């Protein structure tokens, strides 16, 4: 029996846990420095006591930017085998987290297999699962029912849960008063809004927040405070509804920390590039520097089919401005459930954003592979380049698709390759193009 219930309680007691030691080694940080950051809530290590396969990761201040991959079945796409193929891709390309967003039938079959096998953190949104799990219509579900689903997910080993506790009556009033082009685009937020409007009751996750925290504390499950009122188009960004909910999330963050429950706070959403940095700073200020988890942001609304690119742009700006955790977006966003290829494109795009931000933030050793790639390119060592590349198979496939006559160049520049020309001159050789040498 361990001496602490959660990573945060251990940190406050001065205990460096085995999970902290692993994270400290991964992040090139002194374990004592990490412990202090966990104690303050600036770093979360989502690690449910029942998730035995996990490889712990830290999210927050001084940590590498992490990415999350959304998976799960729906009524229109319920192929468990295909979802497991996506899981394998997430593992292959180093996604640190996987969220099971299944919303059809008895979803715990897929989730239990995921938790049993996955070294990545596993997240869920209990609100999505409530209807299928309880087999009740929305109006029939009680506050106690919602808590049952939270407990079920925690017992299964879920490492973090998105709980939309901030969309209370005050936040709804601000949203209703101002109005929006896209209204509420959060699935969990819309269901809670509907439940509140139909029953006349307060948000059950807000009203019974202490009970939610007690459940999460028991299993050391991190709460990810969901942004139900996140903007769903760039014109709705930074409006009264978003900010009203953010203020509530800041207060809920402190209440969770008082119970030694680790916290992440979720953020926008769709947002023009010029608003991103200010939003990151505002979120960190109001939520006391808790780890910040963003969806995108999507920086323009007119590129369906390419939203992995629009969000990579926004994600890079967000992470370089303070966001700690990026939720991937695939080319299928706004259109359909992503297939395996969509998932790969989404993962790669998010990894690009996260890595680019880590370089900008000066994260220790972030540039190491980039420098190694520069050295391999300087020497025109193709095998070394492929080895260093994040996706070696694709790099090799492109190179080999139009093979150059001279393996010391590629088919784009041929013998006019700038690297080849400069290397030859510096080696004291003569550069000639009109005769074979």
């Amino acid at each position: 029996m361990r001496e602490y219930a959660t990573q945060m309680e251990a940190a406050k007691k001065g205990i460096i846990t085995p999970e902290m030691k692993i994270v400290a080694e991964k992040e090139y940080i002194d374990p004592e420095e990490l412990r202090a950051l966990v104690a303050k809530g600036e770093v979360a290590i989502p690690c449910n006591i029942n998730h035995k396969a996990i490889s712990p990761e830290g999210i927050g201040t001084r940590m590498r930017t992490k990415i999350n991959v959304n998976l799960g079945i729906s009524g229109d796409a319920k192929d468990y085998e295909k979802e497991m193929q996506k899981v394998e891709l997430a593992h292959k390309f180093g996604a640190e987290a996987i969220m099971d967003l299944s919303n059809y039938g008895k979803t715990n079959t897929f989730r239990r297999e995921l938790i049993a096998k996955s070294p990545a953190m596993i997240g869920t949104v209990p609100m999505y699962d409530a209807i299928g799990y309880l087999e009740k219509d929305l109006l029939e579900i009680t506050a106690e029912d919602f808590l049952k689903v939270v407990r079920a997910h925690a017992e299964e080993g879920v490492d973090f849960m998105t709980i939309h506790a901030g969309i209370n009556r005050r936040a709804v009033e601000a949203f209703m008063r101002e109005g929006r082009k896209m209204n509420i685009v959060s699935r969990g937020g819309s269901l809670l809004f509907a439940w509140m409007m139909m029953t006349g009751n307060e948000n059950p996750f807000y009203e019974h927040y202490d009970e939610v925290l007690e459940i999460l504390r028991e299993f050391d499950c991190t709460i990810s405070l969901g942004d139900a009122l996140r903007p769903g188009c760039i014109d709705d960004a930074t409006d009264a509804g978003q900010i009203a909910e953010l203020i509530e999330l800041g207060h809920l963050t402190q209440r969770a920390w008082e119970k030694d429950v680790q916290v992440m706070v979720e953020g926008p959403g769709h947002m023009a590039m010029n608003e991103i940095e200010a939003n990151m700073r505002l979120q960190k200020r109001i939520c006391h520097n808790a780890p910040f988890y963003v969806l995108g942001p999507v920086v323009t609304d007119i590129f369906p089919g390419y939203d992995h690119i629009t969000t990579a742009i926004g994600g890079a700006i967000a992470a370089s401005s303070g966001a700690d955790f990026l939720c991937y977006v695939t080319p299928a966003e706004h259109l359909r459930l992503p297939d395996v290829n969509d998932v790969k494109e989404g993962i790669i795009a998010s990894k690009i954003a996260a890595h680019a931000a880590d370089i900008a933030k000066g994260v220790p050793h972030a540039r190491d592979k980039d420098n190694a790639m520069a050295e391999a390119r300087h020497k025109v060592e193709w095998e070394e380049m492929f080895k260093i590349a994040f996706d070696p198979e694709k790099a090799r496939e492109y190179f080999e698709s139009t093979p150059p006559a001279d393996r010391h160049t590629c088919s784009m520049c041929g013998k006019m390759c700038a690297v080849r020309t400069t290397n030859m001159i510096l080696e004291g050789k003569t550069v000639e193009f009109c005769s074979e040498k």
Side-chain angles (χ1 to χ4, degrees):
M1 190 75 177
R2 64 189 197 178
E3 308 168 55
Y4 50 88
T6 70
Q7 296 291 323
M8 176 171 255
E9 183 186 9
K12 288 178 180 178
K13 289 181 174 180
I15 299 169
I16 296 172
T17 67
E19 293 80 11
M20 290 180 204
K21 289 178 182 176
I22 292 170
V23 171
E25 186 173 347
K26 288 181 177 181
E27 301 285 350
Y28 304 97
I29 185 173
D30 180 78
E32 176 57 30
E33 289 183 61
L34 177 62
R35 183 206 61 76
L37 289 168
V38 174
K40 289 194 293 183
E42 292 190 20
V43 170
I45 303 177
C47 203
N48 189 305
I49 59 173
N50 290 336
H51 186 180
K52 307 302 183 184
I54 194 170
S55 177
E57 296 284 357
I59 300 172
T61 301
R62 294 195 57 193
M63 305 289 104
R64 288 178 296 107
T65 306
K66 307 304 188 298
I67 76 157
N68 170 70
V69 172
N70 288 340
L71 301 170
I73 59 165
S74 68
D76 293 316
K78 43 187 180 286
D79 188 328
Y80 286 97
E81 189 175 331
K82 283 185 179 177
E83 291 310 296
M84 289 310 297
Q85 289 174 8
K86 298 174 189 177
V87 170
E88 290 168 11
L89 262 183
H91 292 159
K92 176 181 177 179
F93 288 107
E96 291 86 5
I98 297 171
M99 289 198 78
D100 174 18
L101 304 188
S102 298
N103 63 359
Y104 174 83
K106 294 300 183 185
T107 61
N108 58 3
T109 303
F110 174 68
R111 187 162 53 251
R112 283 175 176 166
E113 186 176 355
L114 194 57
I115 292 165
K117 293 181 177 179
S118 181
M121 298 174 278
I122 304 302
T124 58
V125 186
M127 188 67 206
Y128 292 1
D129 197 23
I131 295 170
Y133 180 87
L134 298 166
E135 295 182 336
K136 290 183 178 181
D137 214 337
L138 186 60
L139 191 56
E140 299 171 351
I141 299 175
T142 65
E144 291 72 23
D145 287 333
F146 287 124
L147 295 180
K148 285 180 188 175
V149 181
V150 171
R151 174 166 286 279
H153 285 212
E155 287 176 347
E156 287 169 9
V158 169
D159 301 297
F160 65 97
M161 287 186 217
T162 294
I163 306 286
H164 297 94
I167 182 172
N168 58 17
R169 284 174 175 162
R170 284 189 296 270
V172 167
E173 182 183 349
F175 156 69
M176 296 283 281
R177 184 172 58 243
E178 182 161 317
R180 278 181 165 183
K181 278 187 168 62
M182 283 295 296
N183 291 321
I184 298 175
V185 299
S186 159
R187 189 195 308 173
S190 68
L191 292 171
L192 275 171
F193 174 73
W195 187 87
M196 292 167 69
M197 292 297 103
M198 290 191 296
T199 64
N201 295 330
E202 177 60 280
N203 177 346
F205 294 116
Y206 178 77
E207 187 174 13
H208 300 277
Y209 190 60
D210 285 336
E211 294 167 66
V212 170
L213 295 177
E214 286 170 16
I215 296 168
L216 300 181
R217 186 180 192 280
E218 183 179 346
F219 298 93
D220 198 0
C221 183
T222 298
I223 189 167
S224 188
L225 289 167
D227 53 338
L229 294 176
R230 68 175 180 265
C233 66
I234 59 173
D235 203 57
D236 290 341
T238 325
D239 69 353
Q242 179 194 332
I243 302 305
E245 183 183 35
L246 180 60
I247 292 168
E248 300 299 329
L249 297 182
H251 177 59
L252 294 171
T253 294
Q254 289 184 308
R255 285 178 60 185
W257 286 343
E258 288 168 5
K259 301 278 188 179
D260 297 329
V261 174
Q262 298 185 101
V263 177
M264 298 188 293
V265 178
E266 299 185 15
H270 293 238
M271 182 167 288
M273 288 169 57
N274 62 305
E275 294 184 54
I276 294 173
E277 182 179 0
N279 266 264
M280 301 305 107
R281 295 183 184 279
L282 181 64
Q283 182 99 10
K284 285 281 187 172
R285 175 69 181 85
I286 290 177
C287 295
H288 318 290
N289 216 29
F292 190 18
Y293 176 22
V294 298
L295 178 67
V298 184
V299 296
T300 171
D301 296 324
I302 64 168
F303 288 90
Y306 300 93
D307 276 326
H308 59 311
I309 298 173
T310 64
T311 53
I313 295 167
I317 297 170
S320 64
S321 302
D324 306 292
F325 191 20
L326 304 180
C327 187
Y328 93 149
V329 171
T330 77
E333 186 77 6
H334 305 111
L335 301 171
R336 61 170 168 83
L337 191 77
D339 64 19
V340 172
N341 290 329
D342 296 328
V343 168
K344 179 182 176 182
E345 292 296 314
I347 293 171
I348 299 291
S350 291
K351 278 289 186 179
I352 291 169
H355 183 64
D358 287 347
I359 291 171
K361 290 190 287 190
V363 170
H365 299 279
R367 288 176 180 256
D368 286 2
K369 284 195 170 183
D370 297 84
N371 291 339
M373 179 63 85
E375 290 175 10
R377 284 176 171 159
H378 168 73
K379 294 182 291 185
V380 200
E381 291 284 356
W382 291 105
E383 291 303 319
E384 189 67 18
M385 290 183 229
F386 298 147
K387 182 180 176 182
I388 297 164
F390 186 79
D391 184 357
E393 293 90 351
K394 184 168 185 177
R396 184 184 294 278
E397 179 188 342
Y398 269 63
F399 178 76
E400 299 290 358
S401 65
T402 311
D406 182 350
R407 294 285 294 192
H408 291 290
T409 65
C410 74
S411 59
M412 182 172 183
C413 295
K415 287 190 174 182
M416 292 184 69
C417 170
V419 175
R420 176 179 180 272
T421 297
T422 306
N423 285 348
M424 289 178 70
I425 291 296
L426 293 176
E427 291 166 11
K429 298 176 181 177
T430 301
V431 178
E432 297 177 309
F433 300 114
C434 297
S435 62
E436 294 295 327
K437 296 290 182 183

